[in-house]
C-alpha cells in the first residue's frame, strides 16, 4: 500500500471514530432517563407517654395482709387502691420522714358504696410502727373456734420482717443500701396450699401481728372461749368470769335445749377449768412483763416510750370505693389503737 493510500485510510478511521463518539454523546443527551423511585414518606408516629412510676407505688402491695383468707386475696386486689398518703408520709415533712419504720398489713370487711351500690368489700389497711427495732417477732393465733390462744414465732408461719427496696434503688447493690422501711412478708406460696392440711391453712386466717410493751400493763381479758364436747353437738359460747355467773349461763343453755340436765355438772366443771387456765396465763404474762421491764436497758425503754403507730387507709379515687366513713383507730387486740389515722 502506498503512503498516500495509507494516509487516506487513517483519515477515514479518524472520521469514523469521531462520528461514533458524537452519536454516543447525542444518544446520552436525548435518551429518556429512568425516573428515580420516590418512597412515600411514613406518617409521623405519635409518641407514647407513660406515667412515671412513683418511687413507693407498690409498697402497700408488698406488705402481706395478715389474717386475710387466701381465697379473698384476689378480691382485695381487684380494685385500683391508692396509698399515695402512705408514700407522702415518707417525704420531707411527713410523719415517717427520716424514721425507721416497720409495716404490716391487714384487711377490714366493710359495707361501703361503690358505683351506685353498697357491698361488703375487704379494705386493705397498712399499719406503720415507728421503732428503731422490730416491734415483735411473734404472731398471735386466735379465733372464736379455738379454745386457746397461741403466740408463736412468726417464722413458724413463714413470716418475717424484710427490707423494702424503693424503685429508684432496685438497680443498686443491696449490701450498700441503708434500709429505712421494713415490711412483714410471708413466703408461703398460694400454689402450695393444696399440699397443706386444712388446720394449717386456717391458722393463717386467725393470725394477728403480736405486740407487747413491757412498760404498759395491758388490760387483760377475763373472757374465755368455751367449746364443750356435748351430745349431740358441741356447745360454743363465751364466759366472762367478772361479768357473768356460771349458774345463769348453765340454766340458759338448758332452757335453750343446747345442754342436757345430766351434762350440767360436767359443763360447769369444764368452764371452771378453762377459767383457771386463763387466770394462770394472765398471771404468767404479767410476771413475764415485769421481768422484761426490770431487765430492759434504758435505751430500749426510751425506744418503747417513743414508739408510735400510724394506720393508713387507701385514699379516694374514681377506681376505688370510698372508705372515709369506716375508718377506725383500732388495729388489733395486741396493738390497741393507732396514734393517728390517715
Amino acid at each position: 500500500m502506498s503512503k498516500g493510500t495509507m494516509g487516506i485510510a487513517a483519515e477515514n478511521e479518524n472520521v469514523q471514530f469521531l462520528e461514533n463518539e458524537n452519536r454516543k454523546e447525542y444518544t446520552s443527551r436525548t435518551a429518556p432517563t429512568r425516573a428515580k423511585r420516590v418512597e412515600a414518606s411514613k406518617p409521623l408516629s405519635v409518641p407514647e407517654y407513660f406515667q412515671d412510676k412513683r418511687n413507693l407505688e407498690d409498697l402497700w402491695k408488698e406488705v402481706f395482709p395478715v389474717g386475710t383468707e387466701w381465697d379473698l386475696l384476689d378480691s382485695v386486689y381487684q380494685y385500683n387502691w391508692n396509698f399515695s398518703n402512705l408514700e407522702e408520709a415518707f417525704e420531707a415533712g411527713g410523719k415517717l420522714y427520716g424514721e425507721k419504720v416497720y409495716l404490716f398489713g391487714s384487711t377490714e370487711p366493710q359495707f361501703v358504696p361503690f358505683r351506685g351500690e353498697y357491698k361488703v368489700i375487704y379494705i386493705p389497711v397498712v399499719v406503720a410502727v415507728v421503732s428503731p427495732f422490730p416491734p415483735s417477732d411473734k404472731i398471735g393465733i386466735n379465733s372464736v373456734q379455738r379454745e386457746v390462744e397461741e403466740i408463736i414465732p412468726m417464722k413458724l408461719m413463714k413470716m418475717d420482717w424484710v427490707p423494702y427496696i424503693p424503685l429508684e434503688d432496685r438497680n443498686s447493690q443491696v449490701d450498700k443500701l441503708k434500709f429505712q422501711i421494713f415490711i412483714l412478708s410471708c413466703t408461703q406460696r398460694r400454689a402450695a396450699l393444696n399440699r397443706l392440711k386444712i388446720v394449717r391453712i386456717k391458722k393463717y386466717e386467725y393470725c394477728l401481728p403480736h405486740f407487747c410493751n413491757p412498760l404498759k400493763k395491758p388490760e387483760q381479758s377475763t373472757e374465755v372461749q368455751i367449746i364443750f364436747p356435748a351430745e349431740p353437738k358441741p356447745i360454743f359460747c363465751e364466759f366472762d368470769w367478772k361479768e357473768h355467773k356460771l349458774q345463769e349461763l348453765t340454766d340458759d343453755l338448758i332452757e335453750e335445749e343446747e345442754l342436757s340436765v345430766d351434762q350440767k355438772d360436767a359443763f360447769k366443771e369444764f368452764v371452771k377449768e378453762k377459767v383457771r387456765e386463763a387466770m394462770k396465763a394472765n398471771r404468767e404474762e404479767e410476771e413475764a412483763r415485769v421481768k422484761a421491764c426490770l431487765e430492759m436497758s434504758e435505751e430500749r425503754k426510751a425506744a418503747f416510750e417513743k414508739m408510735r403507730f400510724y394506720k393508713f387507709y387507701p385514699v379516694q379515687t374514681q377506681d376505688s370505693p370510698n372508705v372515709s366513713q369506716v375508718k377506725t383507730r383500732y388495729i388489733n387486740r395486741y396493738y390497741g389503737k393507732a396514734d393517728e389515722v390517715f
Side-chain angles (χ1 to χ4, degrees), residues 189-318:
R189 294 183 302 111
R190 292 178 68 181
L193 289 176
N194 57 1
R195 297 197 296 269
L196 299 181
K197 294 181 179 179
I198 296 297
V199 174
R200 171 72 174 175
I201 296 175
K202 285 294 182 182
K203 274 191 173 184
Y204 280 98
E205 300 174 13
Y206 303 138
C207 283
L208 289 177
H210 184 265
F211 177 73
C212 179
N213 185 346
L215 303 182
K216 296 181 180 179
K217 184 175 180 178
E219 183 179 346
Q220 293 183 324
S221 174
T222 59
E223 190 173 81
V224 290
Q225 306 294 330
I226 305 298
I227 307 178
F228 180 65
E231 293 295 341
K233 62 178 182 179
I235 295 175
F236 295 86
C237 62
E238 297 175 353
F239 179 72
D240 189 321
W241 67 78
K242 279 192 173 181
E243 300 294 332
H244 302 155
K245 293 183 178 180
L246 182 54
Q247 185 62 51
E248 290 181 0
L249 173 62
T250 305
D251 293 341
D252 289 343
L253 291 172
I254 292 175
E255 184 178 346
E256 295 168 4
E257 297 184 351
E258 292 189 31
L259 179 68
S260 62
V261 177
D262 59 345
Q263 292 179 312
K264 176 179 178 179
D265 292 338
F267 174 77
K268 292 171 70 174
E269 186 56 39
F270 184 88
V271 174
K272 289 178 183 178
E273 180 59 27
K274 293 302 177 184
V275 170
R276 284 192 289 267
E277 290 175 1
M279 286 181 171
K280 180 182 178 183
N282 283 353
R283 184 169 61 253
E284 291 176 349
E285 183 180 353
E286 177 60 14
E287 290 172 354
R289 184 192 71 82
V290 173
K291 183 175 182 292
C293 191
L294 293 174
E295 296 174 351
M296 190 182 300
S297 66
E298 292 301 319
E299 181 181 2
R300 200 169 182 86
K301 285 182 181 179
F304 270 110
E305 289 173 350
K306 293 179 181 179
M307 199 175 287
R308 292 293 180 270
F309 307 148
Y310 300 103
K311 189 176 180 183
F312 292 84
Y313 285 87
V315 299
Q316 174 63 31
T317 68
Q318 292 182 345

Side-chain angles (χ1 to χ4, degrees), residues 66-67 136-159 198-211 225 332-334:
V66 184
S136 176
D137 61 353
K138 301 288 194 303
I139 284 288
I141 303 176
N142 197 9
S143 73
V144 175
Q145 290 77 23
R146 299 177 64 87
E147 292 186 48
V148 293
E149 174 188 46
E150 288 184 82
I151 298 176
I152 61 176
M154 60 174 58
K155 289 187 176 182
L156 292 181
M157 300 302 293
K158 294 189 176 184
M159 298 183 197
I198 296 297
V199 174
R200 171 72 174 175
I201 296 175
K202 285 294 182 182
K203 274 191 173 184
Y204 280 98
E205 300 174 13
Y206 303 138
C207 283
L208 289 177
H210 184 265
F211 177 73
Q225 306 294 330
N332 66 32
R333 61 189 300 264
Y334 303 117

